[in-house]
Amino acid sequence: MARLSSGAALFVAGALPGETVRARCTSRRGEGWAAVCETVIEASAARRTPPCALFGECGGCTLQHWDDAAYREWKRGLLHAALQAAGFAEPVVGPLAVTPPGARRRMDLALRRTPQGVVIGLHAARSDAVVDLRECPVLHPSLFALLKPLRQTLAGAGLLRRSGSLIVNWLDSGADILLRGDAAASLADRQLLIGFARAQDVARLSWAQGAAAPELLCELRPVRHALSGVAVSLPPGGFLQASREGEAAIVAAVLAGIGTVATKARIVELYAGCGTLTFALQRLARVQAFEGDAAAVAALAAARAGTPGGRIEIVRRDLARQPL
């Protein structure tokens, strides 16, 4: 952030604290202006070379040019400031739980057919253009390895006329792919995708046109993923914490925050999903898990059936329309 001579705030993307830069205003942002950094005149000592050649073009990562130590302090500071604004005078914020490079196990990408071929990647910063993900130090290598053969496969498929989307979860059983296109899938398209799944050892491949419900095309083995030690069969495209390290940190923080509870206590869990926290919480007390998505509820119920004790009650409820 900087201040104009008028006192209005200037939010400069790409600049770092303490730097002198030449910036260009792009649009209004609240009472101030959004801007982009065009030239760094005096660089911060905390500025570093981004590890990814696509940084600045791809809209995924925004702070790879900042030293890790400075970034972590800033990140903790955001939480500290938010807690103070909420009325906590001296909040205690622990160290940042860090996900290492190459550990992201979920990718949610855009598909775009161009005259040069099929592009798979993230949108460019402040644009609807899709940047082809030619490299990515964030993604799990096994996920990234799927992109090149998938580009080649989709190039010959009619189910992608202009645009679509791709969600892939890297589960304990392997890759689980949900592909969405903007045209109907022919028999030849289905055969092409099944051949891709077999060649790349994809555990499950599902397909959908637009916003339709997914259709299972290929399942080479049962889809399983352990959440707090309980095997769950996630639905196609089901929510999964972005990294194993992040999931473990969240579960540990929640359990530590709850602490010891009475023997007959009941824990109410909102937006339970497929059970990221549910199966950890049942170790402490009975759990009443609320979730609105039908596929997530079904996955949670199936996993609960395989756990002893009967300490989880599942309630399907749209909490946006019907909050408790």
Side-chain angles (χ1 to χ4, degrees), residues 109-112 119-120 154 160 162-166 179-180:
L109 304 176
L111 308 175
R112 189 70 52 84
V119 172
I120 305 178
L154 291 177
L160 183 70
R162 182 177 182 276
S163 61
S165 65
L166 171 72
L179 179 69
R180 291 187 182 274

Side-chain angles (χ1 to χ4, degrees), residues 238-262:
F239 177 77
L240 183 69
Q241 288 294 335
S243 72
R244 193 177 298 276
E245 293 82 0
E247 178 185 297
I250 291 169
V251 171
V254 170
L255 294 181
I258 293 174
T260 304
V261 298

